[in-house]
Amino acid sequence: MSVNQQAHTGPPYGQPQPGYQGYQQPAYGGQSLPGAPQSQYGAYNGPMPGYQQPVPPQGYFPSLGFPSKGSPVSLNSDTSSLAPNFIGPLRAPPTSGAPPPASGASHPSGHVAYSQFEHGDVQNGIPGSAAPMQRPPASQPFLPGSAPTPVSQISTFQQYGPPPASVQQLRNHMAGMTIGCTAASAPPPAGLGYASVPPVSGSCSATGSGLYTPYSASQGPPLTTVSQGLPLAQPPFPGQTISTQRLPTQVPGFTPPPPSTGVGPSSYPPTTGAPRPPAMPGPPLPGQTVAGPPSSQPNHVSSPPPPSTMAGLHPGPPMSGLHGPPPPTHPPQPGYQMQQNGSFGQMRGPQPNYGGAYPGAPNYGTPPGPPPPPKRLDPDSIPSPIQVIEDDRNNRGSEPFVTGVRGQVPPLVTTNFLVKDQGNASPRYIRCTSYNIPCTSDMAKQSQVPLAAVIKPLATLPPEETLPYLVDHGESGPVRCNRCKAYMCPFMQFIEGGRRFQCCFCSCVTEVPPHYFQHLDHTGKRVDFYDRPELSLGSYEFLATVDYCKNNKFPSPPAFIFMIDVSYNAVKSGLVRLICEELKSLLDYLPREGNMEESAIRVGFVTYNKVLHFYNVKSSLAQPQMMVVSDVADMFVPLLDGFLVNVNESRTVIASLLDQIPEMFADTRETETVFAPVIQAGLEALKAAECAGKLFIFHTSLPIAEAPGKLKNRDDRKLINTDKEKTLFQPQTSFYNNLAKDCVAQGCCVDLFLFPNQYLDVATLGVVPYQTGGSIYKYAYFQLETDQYRFLNDLRRDVQKEVGFDAVMRVRTSTGIRATDFFGAFYMSNTTDVEMAGLDCDKTITVEFKHDDKLSEDSGALLQCALLYTSCAGQRRLRIHNLSLNCCTQLADLYRNCETDTLINYLAKYAYRGVLSSPVKTVRDALINQCAQILACYRKNCASPSSAGQLILPECMKLLPVYLNCVLKSDVLQPGPEVTTDDRAYIRQLVTSMDVAETNVFFYPRLLPLTKADVDSDSLPAAIRNSEERLSKGDIYLLENGLNIFVWVGVNVQQGLIQNLFGVSSFSQISNALSTLPVLENPFSKKVRSIVDMLQGQRSRYMKLIIVKQEDKLEMLFKHFLVEDKSLSGGASYVDFLCHMHKEIRQLLS
């Protein structure tokens, strides 16, 4: 498939195609030139009603016409094979698979698009990835000897000369690259290293010495060989097609697409719901060849590419390059800035072959100006998260994921799938960065792929999956290995007729206790294998015996203590009254064991400002009693009996107290607060009651009153980007670390609800919640009318969710690897035990593993996570999760079994911990360097030999650059001017215990075109990529990132839609102050509200709804989340970052 590719509508392969003779240089903007060959279509003007999208051939999807999931895809690899990772040509003319331009897609020509990495033209001709993540199915037909036929290389391509020394040279060098694809040489002998892996290369090579070489009319466009990227020993997937310009011979096992289809439109329905006409190219720009419709766009179905404006800047030209062969180098055109060293990328003109806008829609500015500058990468030709997510849903969403096989990579977190536990823990409990780990530490070091597991021990399961079974072995307790103390699991080997078992972790042989003995069948399995969860399932629970309890006595049920700030701010904002009202009903919903009538949890109440007020709510009292402790330096609890009570027994006294608190403090003038003594009071109360529990603290201001743990305002934005920036993330006193340690020892977990109007020092106040396994919720500038709904939803969920108290977690591994590093909200007093006063169903612990010996491919590697905790009914339990992984001696096997979402989750946590001790720039550079090393190792050891001008990504990691760029641009690592120090500390702590699904949407938000939603179906509209280029002025979009939901309304949205959604008659009347959508009785309103409710239900926190009108001041905030664009704080666009990564990889390889 070449850069200027002809649709397969005409003659068969190998024959001359119409539209290529002569290569005229036609005029700009779609008028035909005299003598230019007439295109068979008119100019493309956006989708028109009534046109149906052509039906795609089976197995095609719009990523450059690549074969759909399964095969690695490559353009010109050495086996003339498709590799999983082609990063595509420069923007080719749109095709039948191309998104229609948004209304108003043409642009003023005066604006400059900013680019962080060097220049606006292409960096080393990055090619693009497309095929989604999937291992080759086992059932492929094998055709011996069907190696793909090589295609001879075209003479115009030269290899790179020596690397340019100066910036100017580099610019000339880059200007001289032709983006094309070198053809393959002969297939390698089967014995080479890459014959045992799917070659994963593919790309457009950028060649050229310093001048563009335009094609002569006789030469024809360069050929690309696109063929199967599988090892020679494996035949192509059935049903795959090749899209090439001309192939001398047809590759065995492939059939060309039927003539009527065009090249590779998506085999999924168009994402936007708009039917599309075939692409209609107009005559090309000066310096271009006339090209027919090219291959369809990769990774993206038909979301309209809207006016491109880089995030936060004024509308600039669309992100398109030229198509076809590059124009000869010429002096800069009037109206374009010369390129400064790494400053502004040149602006790119409107796309040829795209008409201005939808017919009849207003234009976005001025008529087209001078011809555009040299090409740059087309955003549609680089790997798209949306496409990968969509492919995984289509390929893996329908079948249950059965966990019986070792080392299986699960579906992506974005795919809805059912799990059947058959011996390995569900991916809802454990996800790994790779499911096939290197056998040696040298290999692991070489690849730089971190080996880590993200573990969510108490994860909530969907209703159709079974909760872990609870196994009771009576007084003897669970059966364990004598040496390493691993718990009985499906991987233990019974020997000697079942009288002993060999540990799968340390190989020690242990006697089977007499009560546990059972005979073996002819395969060596116990005959009660299926009757015992611990022998047949990956996840299960044991009832713990008294030996597993503190002080060798069973625990009491836990307690909840509600501690309410009653200082002036809290009372005046209405917060105190709101909390008291809510608690009256919320106390009926405390967590309880499955079949219990009522919750066993007891409750207590404290209010505070500069002093603390305790309340006696004993059921025998007619009225609650208040006791004040003003000596905050030496905190004690003034009453034992009557402080922690059963809700049902003391219901009337509690209701009376909650009515009185707002009245008692209604006229308070006290503005100062304490904080540490509040935690100490709760801790002392739990100690006195001899139970674990949770403190719910509602706090509004920096604790400046005289007391232990008093803080000063140390907020200083001048420290950003200096070596002292790390102090902003560190607590300002060690007092809270010591307090946290005491809390963990007692099982006292702290959940903190913050309502700041100014700096509050989250980095310090968050230490205790963080180290005790608690949560922090933050509502800046809390206003009753807009924020109460979000706060109450968070509070309800926080009080009701499943929590394990007084928890200790240990991860055991089989010989060869061990857990060396841990990330999350917990405390560690030694190197192996993760201690948490509380662990809820949303928290994860991330564990990194390192080699301490060799592993073997035969036995694989095993992990066992054991969590000892107290349930909300006071029962001591052990929850066990087991996972078996494969081990490999070939790097290709490692790269084929990685999980990018989990890798990004780990890398973000690693970086976010790094900012505590290193300058942020150092952390950012280390991240880029590690990822460049991962990709360079792949390129060097697994990909087929190819020119250095190609960027080659592993199939499973093709989204690593885009996701990594999102982490680098996040507020913690690259704050914009509006991001406060508290925000950064808050996000840093939040991300550290997020699961993989949460980091996925947090770093790459989900963007849905609401106007494309089908009001009659339950499904969501298909997501589109996070770029302003994709937005149309006539549509309404929803963006969610797990913390916020933005509803963006374009200026040209139809009045009827505005009326249906907002209940007002015009765009100008829409209010930004809405915190919920109005409830209106029409299908569109119902649909949008159901989408919002559905998204809220998927997230652990209630997301804040923000209405954004186009060209409004809030739009800057919204654009911050369009993560594929350049950010105002200096973050690179996806295209620029990909070029930068390519440069880094090439430096490592050279």
Side-chain angles (χ1 to χ4, degrees):
M1 160 196 348
S2 80
V3 174
N4 28 334
Q5 164 140 3
Q6 191 68 351
H8 298 301
T9 46
Y13 293 104
Q15 294 179 20
Q17 309 255 341
Y20 273 109
Q21 308 97 3
Y23 292 96
Q24 298 282 344
Q25 307 267 316
Y28 184 74
Q31 323 83 305
S32 53
L33 274 187
Q38 198 57 42
S39 154
Q40 61 197 97
Y41 307 116
Y44 180 60
N45 252 350
M48 294 188 228
Y51 275 85
Q52 276 312 313
Q53 186 182 357
V55 180
Q58 215 37 48
Y60 254 67
F61 77 106
S63 40
L64 293 171
F66 288 176
S68 69
K69 191 144 172 139
S71 71
V73 184
S74 134
L75 292 187
N76 55 303
S77 74
D78 60 340
T79 51
S80 48
S81 59
L82 267 154
N85 34 20
F86 166 69
I87 298 237
L90 296 182
R91 189 186 282 274
T95 68
S96 54
S103 61
S106 71
H107 279 259
S109 38
H111 295 303
V112 186
Y114 295 84
S115 141
Q116 178 181 9
F117 296 109
E118 298 303 334
H119 320 289
D121 39 355
V122 174
Q123 303 262 340
N124 307 337
I126 299 203
S129 157
M133 178 163 129
Q134 183 70 318
R135 320 288 167 264
S139 60
Q140 294 170 16
F142 176 57
L143 311 172
S146 61
T149 320
V151 177
S152 60
Q153 186 162 335
I154 296 198
S155 53
T156 45
F157 289 123
Q158 315 111 342
Q159 291 308 312
Y160 266 85
S166 69
V167 173
Q168 186 54 48
Q169 258 181 281
L170 176 67
R171 200 171 304 126
N172 296 342
H173 180 70
M174 282 163 47
M177 296 191 304
T178 28
I179 302 290
C181 296
T182 52
S185 53
L192 292 182
Y194 38 78
S196 57
V197 314
V200 253
S201 70
S203 53
C204 272
S205 65
T207 58
S209 49
L211 283 174
Y212 284 99
T213 23
Y215 307 124
S216 66
S218 59
Q219 240 174 349
L223 307 188
T224 317
T225 60
V226 182
S227 53
Q228 188 65 26
L230 289 169
L232 297 181
Q234 286 180 325
F237 286 82
Q240 269 191 330
T241 46
I242 306 183
S243 62
T244 52
Q245 187 48 48
R246 301 181 196 116
L247 269 181
T249 52
Q250 203 170 306
V251 178
F254 286 95
T255 47
S260 62
T261 57
V263 179
S266 156
S267 49
Y268 313 123
T271 45
T272 58
R276 296 166 301 169
M280 304 182 224
L285 302 181
Q288 261 188 297
T289 55
V290 179
S295 60
S296 80
Q297 277 159 322
N299 302 338
H300 169 68
V301 195
S302 65
S303 30
S308 122
T309 3
M310 298 296 222
L313 302 175
H314 32 263
M319 313 243 306
S320 69
L322 299 185
H323 328 309
T329 44
H330 42 70
Q333 300 290 336
Y336 286 91
Q337 297 187 18
M338 274 301 283
Q339 185 124 7
Q340 294 306 316
N341 178 8
S343 56
F344 299 121
Q346 290 164 313
M347 128 184 193
R348 296 168 303 157
Q351 291 172 197
N353 301 353
Y354 270 54
Y358 288 105
N363 257 358
Y364 209 99
T366 55
K375 329 177 173 176
R376 62 176 288 168
L377 264 182
D378 167 17
D380 278 338
S381 67
I382 54 183
S384 155
I386 304 304
Q387 187 66 53
V388 171
I389 288 168
E390 187 60 35
D391 291 339
D392 194 76
R393 278 194 187 131
N394 292 328
N395 291 322
R396 306 197 66 183
S398 49
E399 293 295 309
F401 179 68
V402 181
T403 71
V405 182
R406 182 173 86 187
Q408 277 188 108
V409 182
L412 298 182
V413 283
T414 42
T415 299
N416 279 332
F417 59 99
L418 207 62
V419 179
K420 289 194 173 160
D421 186 342
Q422 291 191 0
N424 282 293
S426 161
R428 302 190 207 290
Y429 294 124
I430 307 182
R431 276 186 176 265
C432 295
T433 52
S434 179
Y435 288 79
N436 200 331
I437 60 181
C439 283
T440 64
S441 60
D442 289 347
M443 200 171 147
K445 281 192 192 107
Q446 187 186 357
S447 75
Q448 288 285 314
V449 175
L451 306 176
V454 179
I455 306 175
K456 195 175 182 183
L458 297 178
T460 311
L461 298 183
E464 52 274 23
E465 290 178 22
T466 318
L467 291 170
Y469 290 100
L470 182 60
V471 179
D472 185 358
H473 282 313
E475 286 183 16
S476 59
V479 178
R480 302 176 70 177
C481 166
N482 272 346
R483 185 200 286 160
C484 70
K485 300 291 183 245
Y487 294 87
M488 180 54 66
C489 73
F491 311 118
M492 298 289 192
Q493 193 69 45
F494 287 89
I495 53 176
E496 296 177 25
R499 289 190 297 280
R500 304 169 92 187
F501 68 90
Q502 184 168 27
C503 178
C504 51
F505 294 95
C506 70
S507 305
C508 174
V509 173
T510 303
E511 294 285 333
V512 173
H515 71 88
Y516 197 71
F517 174 77
Q518 186 53 268
H519 295 287
L520 307 184
D521 66 12
H522 65 288
T523 64
K525 268 187 184 168
R526 286 171 53 122
V527 295
D528 62 352
F529 175 80
Y530 289 109
D531 303 332
R532 290 193 177 272
E534 73 274 21
L535 298 181
S536 54
L537 298 177
S539 301
Y540 42 87
E541 292 199 316
F542 291 120
L543 206 52
T545 58
V546 74
D547 306 334
Y548 291 86
C549 304
K550 260 188 202 158
N551 308 326
N552 278 11
K553 65 178 194 185
F554 284 111
S556 309
F560 282 178
I561 304 176
F562 297 92
M563 315 184 90
I564 305 168
D565 174 348
V566 288
S567 62
Y568 176 75
N569 275 345
V571 174
K572 182 174 118 289
S573 66
L575 182 62
V576 173
R577 187 175 297 280
L578 181 69
I579 294 168
C580 292
E581 280 303 314
E582 178 60 28
L583 286 179
K584 286 185 208 168
S585 55
L586 187 54
L587 294 177
D588 289 332
Y589 296 97
L590 299 177
R592 53 173 178 251
E593 288 298 334
N595 48 8
M596 292 173 60
E597 288 291 308
E598 62 176 52
S599 174
I601 292 174
R602 290 168 297 159
V603 298
F605 302 89
V606 172
T607 55
Y608 67 94
N609 38 44
K610 263 183 9 186
V611 298
L612 275 75
H613 323 106
F614 293 80
Y615 297 93
N616 183 345
V617 283
K618 202 170 167 180
S619 56
S620 55
L621 296 174
Q623 282 295 320
Q625 295 173 345
M626 176 163 112
M627 297 176 189
V628 180
V629 175
S630 51
D631 182 6
V632 289
D634 183 19
M635 186 42 65
F636 68 99
V637 179
L639 74 163
L640 290 180
D641 194 25
F643 179 63
L644 293 177
V645 297
N646 174 292
V647 173
N648 281 343
E649 289 170 11
S650 299
R651 183 174 297 280
T652 51
V653 196
I654 291 173
S656 171
L657 169 68
L658 293 172
D659 283 336
Q660 289 177 39
I661 287 174
E663 307 308 327
M664 260 190 295
F665 298 99
D667 301 323
T668 185
R669 285 282 165 265
E670 185 53 75
T671 55
E672 292 188 355
T673 58
V674 296
F675 184 70
V678 181
I679 297 175
Q680 288 172 322
L683 173 61
E684 292 302 324
L686 294 177
K687 269 187 190 165
E690 296 186 339
C691 69
K694 188 182 263 199
L695 313 181
F696 295 85
I697 303 180
F698 305 92
H699 188 78
T700 60
S701 58
L702 190 70
I704 54 172
E706 260 328 305
K710 170 186 173 179
L711 300 178
K712 59 181 192 292
N713 186 336
R714 53 160 187 165
D715 189 18
D716 186 359
R717 292 193 58 85
K718 291 199 287 294
L719 297 181
I720 291 178
N721 294 327
T722 68
D723 284 354
K724 290 190 174 169
E725 183 172 5
K726 57 179 181 266
T727 58
L728 298 175
F729 296 109
Q730 298 163 352
Q732 60 174 280
T733 157
S734 62
F735 181 88
Y736 288 95
N737 295 75
N738 298 326
L739 182 54
K741 184 177 166 185
D742 296 340
C743 286
V744 172
Q746 181 53 44
C748 168
C749 175
V750 178
D751 278 0
L752 182 56
F753 292 81
L754 294 172
F755 305 88
N757 289 332
Q758 55 198 21
Y759 178 72
L760 193 77
D761 204 348
V762 172
T764 307
L765 297 189
V767 167
V768 179
Y770 183 67
Q771 294 192 12
T772 58
S775 305
I776 306 177
Y777 298 85
K778 181 164 158 288
Y779 311 88
Y781 308 106
F782 178 81
Q783 288 182 308
L784 209 56
E785 55 281 5
T786 54
D787 295 316
Q788 66 166 344
Y789 196 60
R790 180 164 62 109
F791 160 58
L792 294 179
N793 272 286
D794 282 340
L795 176 59
R796 286 167 197 156
R797 194 167 187 282
D798 197 58
V799 167
Q800 295 172 41
K801 66 185 172 189
E802 183 188 354
V803 187
F805 293 94
D806 222 344
V808 183
M809 187 183 100
R810 182 176 283 194
V811 178
R812 293 179 174 82
T813 53
S814 53
T815 313
I817 52 169
R818 62 194 169 86
T820 55
D821 210 350
F822 301 84
F823 304 82
F826 52 74
Y827 174 78
M828 290 186 83
S829 56
N830 58 36
T831 57
T832 55
D833 294 339
V834 174
E835 300 171 52
M836 294 155 288
L839 172 67
D840 63 49
C841 55
D842 298 322
K843 295 280 186 305
T844 64
I845 294 94
T846 302
V847 185
E848 186 180 6
F849 303 96
K850 289 262 172 30
H851 287 76
D852 57 6
D853 204 346
K854 280 190 175 151
L855 294 163
S856 95
E857 279 188 285
D858 299 338
S859 52
L862 299 174
L863 319 177
Q864 184 179 80
C865 160
L867 176 78
L868 175 65
Y869 71 100
T870 301
S871 75
C872 56
Q875 200 176 51
R876 202 71 175 146
R877 294 180 176 181
L878 283 151
R879 180 168 287 201
I880 313 294
H881 298 298
N882 303 288
L883 186 63
S884 60
L885 302 172
N886 286 327
C887 297
C888 58
T889 53
Q890 296 292 323
L891 281 166
D893 292 325
L894 162 69
Y895 283 102
R896 212 184 279 125
N897 291 279
C898 286
E899 233 255 305
T900 300
D901 293 323
T902 310
L903 190 57
I904 287 292
N905 180 284
Y906 164 84
L907 290 171
K909 290 171 181 178
Y910 185 78
Y912 281 17
R913 185 177 67 185
V915 298
L916 290 172
S917 52
S918 308
V920 171
K921 183 179 186 313
T922 309
V923 173
R924 291 166 47 81
D925 292 346
L927 266 186
I928 294 174
N929 184 44
Q930 180 168 6
C931 288
Q933 285 190 313
I934 290 172
L935 298 174
C937 172
Y938 173 79
R939 170 70 191 256
K940 186 176 170 189
N941 298 289
C942 309
S944 335
S946 52
S947 104
Q950 301 176 338
L951 172 61
I952 300 185
L953 301 171
E955 176 55 28
C956 296
M957 290 187 185
K958 65 185 181 190
L959 298 181
L960 188 61
V962 61
Y963 286 163
L964 178 71
N965 191 33
C966 297
V967 174
L968 293 170
K969 287 159 73 165
S970 63
D971 290 339
V972 173
L973 298 181
Q974 195 161 34
E978 72 297 334
V979 181
T980 66
T981 306
D982 275 346
D983 287 333
R984 297 177 75 197
Y986 172 62
I987 295 297
R988 194 192 77 77
Q989 294 201 3
L990 202 57
V991 168
T992 307
S993 51
M994 274 186 183
D995 72 5
V996 181
E998 288 173 317
T999 50
N1000 174 274
V1001 77
F1002 179 76
F1003 289 116
Y1004 192 93
R1006 175 151 56 164
L1007 182 59
L1008 304 174
L1010 293 179
T1011 21
K1012 306 282 191 286
D1014 178 359
V1015 294
D1016 300 321
S1017 90
D1018 293 337
S1019 61
L1020 291 173
I1024 60 172
R1025 292 172 64 169
N1026 282 199
S1027 168
E1028 191 172 355
E1029 201 172 72
R1030 312 278 166 182
L1031 304 181
S1032 148
K1033 297 168 102 171
D1035 287 326
I1036 301 174
Y1037 297 86
L1038 179 149
L1039 182 143
E1040 63 128 354
N1041 73 339
L1043 296 183
N1044 300 304
I1045 288 182
F1046 294 91
V1047 174
W1048 183 91
V1049 187
V1051 289
N1052 296 345
V1053 172
Q1054 292 170 7
Q1055 200 175 331
L1057 284 176
I1058 291 175
Q1059 184 71 53
N1060 283 346
L1061 189 57
F1062 300 103
V1064 295
S1065 56
S1066 72
F1067 178 81
S1068 58
Q1069 291 175 304
I1070 300 170
S1071 163
N1072 288 52
L1074 291 174
S1075 59
T1076 55
L1077 291 169
V1079 178
L1080 302 172
E1081 286 305 312
N1082 66 70
F1084 185 59
S1085 172
K1086 285 179 183 167
K1087 177 66 183 177
V1088 172
R1089 282 180 290 114
S1090 79
I1091 288 174
V1092 170
D1093 292 345
M1094 182 172 157
L1095 299 181
Q1096 294 284 22
Q1098 291 172 4
R1099 306 290 168 221
S1100 60
R1101 290 167 183 249
Y1102 196 83
M1103 295 180 281
K1104 180 177 186 173
L1105 182 77
I1106 302 170
I1107 308 293
V1108 178
K1109 291 152 70 174
Q1110 188 179 359
E1111 295 164 11
D1112 187 67
K1113 57 183 185 299
L1114 268 176
E1115 201 181 20
M1116 291 304 240
L1117 180 61
F1118 172 74
K1119 286 178 182 175
H1120 177 65
F1121 296 99
L1122 297 175
V1123 290
E1124 290 196 21
D1125 297 338
K1126 186 174 181 356
S1127 71
L1128 273 181
S1129 51
S1133 70
Y1134 176 18
V1135 169
D1136 290 340
F1137 184 69
L1138 206 52
C1139 295
H1140 181 69
M1141 281 302 284
H1142 190 199
K1143 200 169 83 181
E1144 295 281 322
I1145 292 165
R1146 289 181 62 180
Q1147 277 175 352
L1148 288 171
L1149 291 174
S1150 60

